[in-house]
Amino acid sequence: MFGAASAALAGSSSPEAQLVHGHLAAREGWFLFYLGQQTEAKQLLERSLAQLRGLGARAELIFPLNYLGAVCSYLGDYAATGVHCREALALAEAEGDQNSSAIACNILGQAAFAQGQPAEARRWHHRSLAYEQQTGNQWSMAFSLMNLGKVAYALGEYDEARRLYEQAMATREAVGDIRGVALSLHSLGDTAVALNDAQAAAQRYAQSLALFRQVGNQWGMAAALIELGGL
């Protein structure tokens, strides 16, 4: 649907149409990322960012900056993630956009975690959670809880990790975030393995796989199958 709308606006030269076209490219790119098409996602997000910069649309840059940062982190380009998300955070704070500030902090925390910096990651995720507690954004709060759970897991604090993952899952169930519930179940499977409960792990991974299949998330399906194979 985003692709069809984008194609319909591609030939228009009016600033208003080009602004919407820039928005659409970023959102289409983020969905392509969910579908496992990371290179195509990165290209669309970069196109969106260039187009919106050209229009001088300051606040509108925040979305493509944040999610381009997320894609770069997934692809291992953490330096680019830092550049994009720190710019997004500065713009979001200047605009008073606490939801986008929280997203930027979460992505920066994930990048720090991926680089083996759990203490730095924990600081970013607590900062993100503080924004979310001010706005009451349950969807975003679940990400901070999940990311704090990952830090606890990495530090061997498995009971704390399970508590955080279960809290995140309950939040995601309440808002109907199917992909988020699947991610929570996968992490609970990891925690069950760490706690030597193979039966619970198998159940969690199988539930996660079913939900990832339901929404068509290729990465999630592969990850759950790998863990089930490991068990």
Side-chain angles (χ1 to χ4, degrees), residues 179-199:
R179 171 182 171 272
V181 173
L183 287 167
S184 302
L185 286 164
H186 187 102
S187 294
L188 284 166
D190 293 342
T191 308
V193 171
L195 293 169
N196 298 311
D197 190 345
Q199 184 176 355

Side-chain angles (χ1 to χ4, degrees), residues 91-99 101:
L91 286 170
E93 289 182 331
E95 295 288 329
D97 183 350
Q98 292 179 313
N99 287 324
S101 296

